[in-house]
């Protein structure tokens, strides 16, 4: 399953928000991936890796793509990313 979300926190997806996202992804069964939605396409990384998530450099207003096997996981992650 796939969902497009917009980064809401003013600081973007940095340290604290990224750590919360990774913790939630780590609890999910199966693969969870995240990537930036760019004009050049999406480069997906493992959402269970803090280093991978931080390398996205996602700023407020940036659109991200989430992929997971479960809709409930997507809902939880989307809430974490979109909530300011």
């Amino acid at each position: 399953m796939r969902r497009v979300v917009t980064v809401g926190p003013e600081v973007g997806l940095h340290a604290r928000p990224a750590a919360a996202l990774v913790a939630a992804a780590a609890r999910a069964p199966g693969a969870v991936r995240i990537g930036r939605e760019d004009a050049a396409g999406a480069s997906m990384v493992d959402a269970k890796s803090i280093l991978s998530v931080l390398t996205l450099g996602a700023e407020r207003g940036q659109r991200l793509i989430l992929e997971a096997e479960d809709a409930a996981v997507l809902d939880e992650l989307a809430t974490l990313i979109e909530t300011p």
Side-chain angles (χ1 to χ4, degrees), residues 11-56:
V11 296
L13 197 54
H14 298 287
R16 190 169 291 143
L21 174 78
V22 169
R27 291 189 301 270
V32 181
R33 300 185 50 79
I34 186 170
R36 292 174 58 144
E37 184 182 67
D38 298 319
S43 176
M44 305 299 285
V45 299
D46 182 5
K48 296 180 180 185
S49 165
I50 189 73
L51 291 176
S52 294
V53 172
L54 290 173
T55 61
L56 291 173

Side-chain angles (χ1 to χ4, degrees), residues 1 4 8 16 58 70:
M1 303 181 97
V4 177
R16 190 169 291 143
D70 186 332

